[in-house]
Amino acid sequence: MTQAALPVRRRARRTIRPAAWAPVVLIAAFVIAALAAPWLAPYEPNQQNLLARLKPPGFASRGVAYWLGSDELGRDLLSRLVHGSRVSLVVAFSSVILSGVVGTTLGMAAGYLRGPVETAVMRIVDVFLSVPAILLAIITVAVLGPGLANVILVLALTRWPRYARVAYGQTLGVATAPYVRLAAFMGAGAPRILLRHVLPNIIGAMTVVATLEFGLMVLFEAGLSFLGLGVQPPTASWGAMLSTGRNYLANAWWIATFPGLCLFLLVLAVNLIGDDLRDRFDPRSTP
């Protein structure tokens, strides 16, 4: 490669594709809608009007406009979609943070301390990963009972092994680095080494895992709500709206279509961001 080509290559690496901002803008829109749901929703999400039940999108009567139609109880679908975004995002953010902290901590401890700690942690990880995550979540929710807090706890419980395995593998590569050995030789304890030297070097990989897991948490929450094991009615939830809408696909397609479209767009945007982060953090990726 000639010297003249080097500046061009460096500038190309810093270039951000305009299309890369599309998923960020889409997720920001969902977050804003969730935070400002009481002000953005046209009506109360549980306000019923049986005279206007199962009305198509664009229907208006007596000064009330149903821009996305109404459901089987005459509730405004747009208002319920906006409020339902709060449930999906709260569950996804909370479960990702909780499972990420637990899994990353245990994975780093297993990779650095080795010995009995490594054996115990990784065998527990193998046990959890041997059971399908959705099945484990359904069983746990059925035992603990449905509800927002229980759903967050269950999803964190079922997904922490993914973080632990990645953190374990990353820590094995960092633990033998000269600066880590020097810190241990100078008397630094394991917690300090893990926090100051190991975690900053694996945070990129863990961020990618958390981003991809976020989309799965949204889908798992919707699946549990679809089965009646998530957030309970009358609280608006995209999964519960899908469950209700399946009974009216023939004459009220909008009840299931719009929540499904919201789920599709949110998960797609998160996965696109996760793929972009993976390419940026991977040193083997080409510019």
Side-chain angles (χ1 to χ4, degrees), residues 81-155:
L81 281 176
V82 173
H83 281 269
S85 64
R86 309 182 88 179
V87 173
S88 295
L89 292 177
V90 166
V91 170
F93 274 117
S94 302
S95 58
V96 164
I97 292 174
L98 184 58
S99 59
V101 170
V102 174
T104 302
T105 302
L106 293 177
M108 288 194 304
Y112 180 74
L113 299 177
R114 307 299 295 271
V117 176
E118 176 189 20
T119 302
V121 172
M122 299 316 296
R123 294 299 76 77
I124 295 175
V125 168
D126 292 338
V127 170
F128 272 86
L129 292 179
S130 65
V131 182
I134 188 63
L135 177 60
L136 183 60
I138 291 174
I139 295 174
T140 309
V141 171
V143 173
L144 297 179
L148 183 62
N150 286 344
V151 169
I152 294 173
L153 181 61
V154 165
L155 293 181

Side-chain angles (χ1 to χ4, degrees), residues 24-236:
V24 176
V25 172
L26 186 57
I27 292 179
F30 279 112
V31 172
I32 293 174
L35 294 175
W39 298 276
L40 293 179
Y43 312 104
E44 289 293 327
N46 298 323
Q47 180 180 344
Q48 300 182 12
N49 182 7
L50 296 179
L51 296 179
R53 61 188 301 269
L54 301 179
K55 296 302 181 182
F59 175 82
S61 176
R62 298 180 180 180
V64 178
Y66 299 95
W67 297 107
L68 296 182
S70 61
D71 62 8
E72 77 284 2
L73 297 177
R75 296 172 295 189
D76 180 53
L77 195 63
L78 176 59
S79 300
R80 293 185 62 78
L81 281 176
V82 173
H83 281 269
S85 64
R86 309 182 88 179
V87 173
S88 295
L89 292 177
V90 166
V91 170
F93 274 117
S94 302
S95 58
V96 164
I97 292 174
L98 184 58
S99 59
V101 170
V102 174
T104 302
T105 302
L106 293 177
M108 288 194 304
Y112 180 74
L113 299 177
R114 307 299 295 271
V117 176
E118 176 189 20
T119 302
V121 172
M122 299 316 296
R123 294 299 76 77
I124 295 175
V125 168
D126 292 338
V127 170
F128 272 86
L129 292 179
S130 65
V131 182
I134 188 63
L135 177 60
L136 183 60
I138 291 174
I139 295 174
T140 309
V141 171
V143 173
L144 297 179
L148 183 62
N150 286 344
V151 169
I152 294 173
L153 181 61
V154 165
L155 293 181
L157 177 65
T158 57
R159 300 306 297 176
W160 71 266
R162 175 82 180 275
Y163 297 90
R165 174 162 286 185
V166 175
Y168 169 74
Q170 294 289 321
T171 303
L172 287 178
V174 177
T176 57
Y179 57 88
V180 175
R181 292 183 176 182
L182 179 61
F185 178 77
M186 295 179 66
R192 180 179 178 85
I193 292 176
L194 292 177
L195 184 62
R196 296 291 300 273
H197 301 289
V198 176
L199 182 59
N201 286 279
I202 70 172
I203 193 65
M206 303 314 300
T207 301
V208 175
V209 175
T211 305
L212 298 176
E213 283 289 303
F214 186 92
L216 287 177
M217 295 301 99
V218 173
L219 292 178
F220 281 162
E221 184 278 326
L224 292 175
S225 297
F226 183 88
L227 297 174
L229 298 175
V231 179
Q232 296 300 291
T235 304

Side-chain angles (χ1 to χ4, degrees), residues 222-249:
L224 292 175
S225 297
F226 183 88
L227 297 174
L229 298 175
V231 179
Q232 296 300 291
T235 304
S237 170
W238 291 347
M241 295 169 69
L242 279 171
S243 179
T244 300
R246 63 177 176 170
N247 299 320
Y248 300 94
L249 287 176

